[in-house]
């Protein structure tokens, strides 16, 4: 907390600012609690806490982004969940379907712990306010996306894209929904607004044919997806691999 003091002087009925002094006051347990404020806030705090603690699903195991080289169980779950939830909205608005999903490894901020999954779990995984956007990209730009993944060598969460690298990290094969990428075709790629705006040096989203803002937060999509399943048990699979 920063306490700012203003000093003024009065000259012929006119106030003039002469000095600004700042003093840092640390907020610790030693500060006295205001009972009136606490009584006012408590019902709201309790309501929010109860909502965050409400059980949505069950996790069979603990899933961490540290487990897996090019794809992780938690990342695969996130990308697949975004595809499922976002495609419902996108299809209703456009009568089109999302072709693939790309998120960022750094956006996974927590494990999915074994046991009950709550809204708080979703907030821990995705504490940011990032929203889902769908970008219409030509196949030539999708190939730039794939080249980025091959060079970055990071387990960025993907869905509906299958990518295999050679030993030297060159691209062995890449398909979307089981089909080779057509340079002339338009693909609808779901991502988050952070990446769309160049986050993690993903500059291949611009320019584009069109942008669809779903006004749907990544976190809310995860919460909605948790509500649709009883038990989650994602796995590390072959969606992004390297020939050894």
């Amino acid at each position: 907390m920063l306490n700012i003091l203003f000093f003024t002087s009065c000259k012929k009925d006119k106030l003039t600012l002469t000095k600004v002094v700042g003093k840092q006051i640390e907020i610790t347990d030693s500060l006295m609690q205001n009972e009136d404020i606490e009584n006012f806030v408590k019902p709201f705090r309790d309501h929010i806490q109860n909502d965050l603690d409400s059980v949505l699903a069950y996790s069979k195991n603990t899933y961490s982004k540290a487990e897996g080289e090019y794809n992780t169980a938690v990342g695969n779950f996130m990308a697949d969940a975004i595809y499922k939830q976002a495609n419902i909205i996108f299809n209703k608005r456009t009568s089109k379907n999302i072709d693939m999903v790309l998120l960022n490894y750094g956006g996974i901020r927590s494990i999915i712990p074994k046991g009950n999954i709550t809204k708080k779990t979703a907030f821990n995984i995705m504490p940011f306010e990032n929203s889902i956007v769908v970008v219409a990209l030509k196949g030539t730009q999708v190939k730039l996306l794939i080249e980025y993944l091959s060079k970055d060598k990071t387990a960025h969460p993907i869905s509906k894209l299958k990518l295999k690298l050679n030993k030297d990290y060159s691209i062995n094969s890449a398909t979307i929904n089981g089909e080779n990428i057509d340079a002339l075709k338009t693909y609808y790629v779901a991502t988050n607004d952070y990446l769309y705006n160049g986050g993690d040096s993903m500059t291949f989203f611009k320019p584009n044919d069109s942008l669809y803002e779903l006004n749907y937060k990544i976190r809310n999509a995860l919460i909605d997806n948790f509500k649709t399943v009883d038990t989650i048990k994602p796995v590390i699979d072959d969606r992004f691999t390297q020939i050894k």
Side-chain angles (χ1 to χ4, degrees), residues 194-206:
Y194 166 73
L195 296 182
Y196 172 74
N197 288 308
D200 283 13
S201 299
M202 295 192 188
T203 58
F204 43 76
F205 286 114
K206 297 178 182 179

Side-chain angles (χ1 to χ4, degrees), residues 180-226:
N180 292 329
I181 297 165
D182 184 344
L184 300 179
K185 181 179 176 179
T186 296
Y187 293 89
Y188 297 96
V189 181
T191 187
N192 61 53
D193 51 356
Y194 166 73
L195 296 182
Y196 172 74
N197 288 308
D200 283 13
S201 299
M202 295 192 188
T203 58
F204 43 76
F205 286 114
K206 297 178 182 179
N208 53 72
D209 284 359
S210 51
L211 172 69
Y212 302 84
E213 299 185 47
L214 302 189
N215 297 315
Y216 193 22
K217 295 188 185 302
I218 296 285
R219 181 195 309 121
N220 291 346
L222 294 179
I223 291 172
D224 290 343
N225 190 262
F226 284 143

Side-chain angles (χ1 to χ4, degrees), residues 69-71 104-106 148-157 200 240:
E69 186 175 5
Y70 291 107
N71 73 92
N104 56 315
Y105 179 83
Y148 171 94
L149 292 176
S150 68
K151 294 175 182 177
D152 202 49
K153 308 179 187 69
T154 302
H156 295 299
D200 283 13
F240 187 7

Side-chain angles (χ1 to χ4, degrees), residues 13-171:
D13 297 326
K14 183 178 179 181
L15 294 175
T16 304
L17 178 66
T18 59
K19 188 177 183 182
V20 178
V21 177
K23 180 181 179 182
Q24 184 172 337
I25 302 175
E26 293 186 8
I27 299 176
T28 66
D29 293 339
S30 63
L31 294 178
M32 295 293 293
Q33 189 177 70
N34 186 299
E35 188 173 348
D36 290 336
I37 295 177
E38 175 61 24
N39 290 337
F40 178 80
V41 171
K42 188 177 186 302
F44 299 98
R45 182 193 296 120
D46 292 345
H47 174 75
I48 292 173
Q49 192 61 54
N50 289 335
D51 186 50
L52 289 175
D53 289 340
S54 58
V55 177
L56 306 177
Y58 181 83
S59 176
K60 187 175 181 180
N61 290 299
T62 295
Y63 302 101
S64 167
K65 71 177 185 180
E67 299 169 349
E69 186 175 5
Y70 291 107
N71 73 92
T72 68
V74 62
N76 294 346
F77 166 78
M78 285 184 66
D80 291 345
I82 296 307
Y83 176 83
K84 179 181 177 182
Q85 302 305 137
N87 196 55
I88 295 171
I89 299 173
F90 185 67
N91 181 264
K92 284 182 178 179
R93 293 183 186 176
T94 67
S95 297
K96 305 177 189 297
N97 289 309
I98 293 170
D99 290 296
M100 62 161 288
V101 175
L102 170 63
L103 303 174
N104 56 315
Y105 179 83
I108 308 171
R109 307 303 289 187
S110 173
I111 63 170
I112 296 180
K114 181 179 180 179
N116 289 335
I117 293 175
T118 65
K119 283 188 178 181
K120 188 175 181 180
T121 307
F123 274 83
N124 289 338
I125 297 170
M126 177 50 63
F128 311 117
E129 298 300 307
N130 294 127
S131 295
I132 302 169
V133 298
V134 179
V135 191
L137 297 179
K138 283 288 190 288
T140 50
Q141 287 174 279
V142 174
K143 289 185 177 181
L144 293 177
L145 181 160
I146 292 168
E147 288 175 6
Y148 171 94
L149 292 176
S150 68
K151 294 175 182 177
D152 202 49
K153 308 179 187 69
T154 302
H156 295 299
I158 57 175
S159 183
K160 305 303 177 182
L161 168 66
K162 190 170 182 179
L163 176 61
K164 182 183 291 186
L165 303 181
N166 294 312
K167 290 183 179 181
D168 63 356
Y169 302 103
S170 61
I171 298 168

